[in-house]
Amino acid sequence: MPEQRLRPRVWVSQPLFDDVLDRLRAHFEVFVQPEVTMHTPRQVAAALAPVDGALLTLNERVGAEEIAAASRLRAVANVGVGYDNLDIPALAAAGIVATNTPDVLTETTADFGFALMMAAARRITESERWLREGRWSQWSFENMLGSDLHDSTLGILGMGRIGQAIARRARGFDMRLLYHNRMRLPAEVEGRLDAQYCDLDTLLAQSDHLVLVVPYSSTTHHLIDAKALAKMKPTATLVNISRGGIVDELALARALSEGRLAAAGLDVFEGEPSVRPELLALRNVVLTPHIASASLATRRAMMSLAVDNLIAALGCGPRAGCPPNPIRV
Ligand code: DGY
């Protein structure tokens, strides 16, 4: 079928829901990775070489080397709001449009951040493990004492869409809200959220619960290191739903094991999918496998938006040439 061959080719790096995939198939010749795979840089380069577009996840790192042989590649659509897996300047220099999927995952991710904070502060997973081990012999005043969310101070590091969605939830818990962000929010937004801006040191020192929602970059790499952790209250909870590299995990494990920090909830890890043994060995950390956006509806919305982006970026569909979410250099 000669017209089939003229269709742009697209690589999809892991299986999508069938109906979402069908929307891509309506426009392109689609090559789907049949199962979830941790692709090596060489495999990514080989997959990108013959295609016009790609739909990727954070499992694929794409930079100058991976696109060196991809002479036809015009667009990559990342499924996710974070895009630290993409070297945006290198893609832009090669004339490749990159897109991401903001907004659609904001509320689900904020829900999960809150869940992780509650689980860590109130020792939910730890006490469940203890119960399942058959260690519950009687009720006692001192068993599994945690720290309250209500009337406590919540610190949010990174006050973008997800940070603000967490802030909205905090109001329902009567929490005092502090935040630090690259740019201070307009006074009207601060007022609506009842959020008080402060510098990073104040945020670290005053938060009873601190949630990290900053994008990962060379500037935020190990932003929460031993020195930062030393500024936090020993009774505090730390939650990371952003990227693992923002936290020095060894320093965190030490602080948690030495009682210099009460608890942590981590959904992201520096070397994921592997998790440091120092963290796995601790009882006072809740560990989840990067699932903050993993509700059925939201994962569908993320895939679907990435498909919209790719269709438009490759010059098809109603928004041809104008993808909804281009990433600017
Ligand atoms: C995101 O959207 O960045 C999530 O971490 C999943 O990739």
Side-chain angles (χ1 to χ4, degrees), residues 58 79-82 101 105 242-243 290 293 299 302:
L58 53 79
V79 188
V81 64
T101 62
L105 47 71
S242 186
R243 287 292 182 265
H290 204 145
S293 63
R299 285 289 163 88
M302 290 165 71

Side-chain angles (χ1 to χ4, degrees), residues 15-27 30 296-297 299-301 303-304 307-308 311:
L16 302 179
F17 297 164
D18 284 344
D19 55 325
V20 182
L21 202 51
D22 285 346
R23 294 184 41 228
L24 275 183
R25 289 194 168 117
H27 297 277
V30 180
L296 182 58
R299 285 289 163 88
R300 170 180 290 283
M303 285 177 200
S304 193
V307 163
D308 291 344
I311 291 172

Side-chain angles (χ1 to χ4, degrees), residues 199-216:
D199 60 30
L200 181 56
D201 280 357
T202 306
L203 189 80
L204 293 166
Q206 294 197 9
S207 298
D208 294 308
H209 310 282
L210 177 62
V211 183
L212 309 179
V213 236
V214 271
Y216 181 61

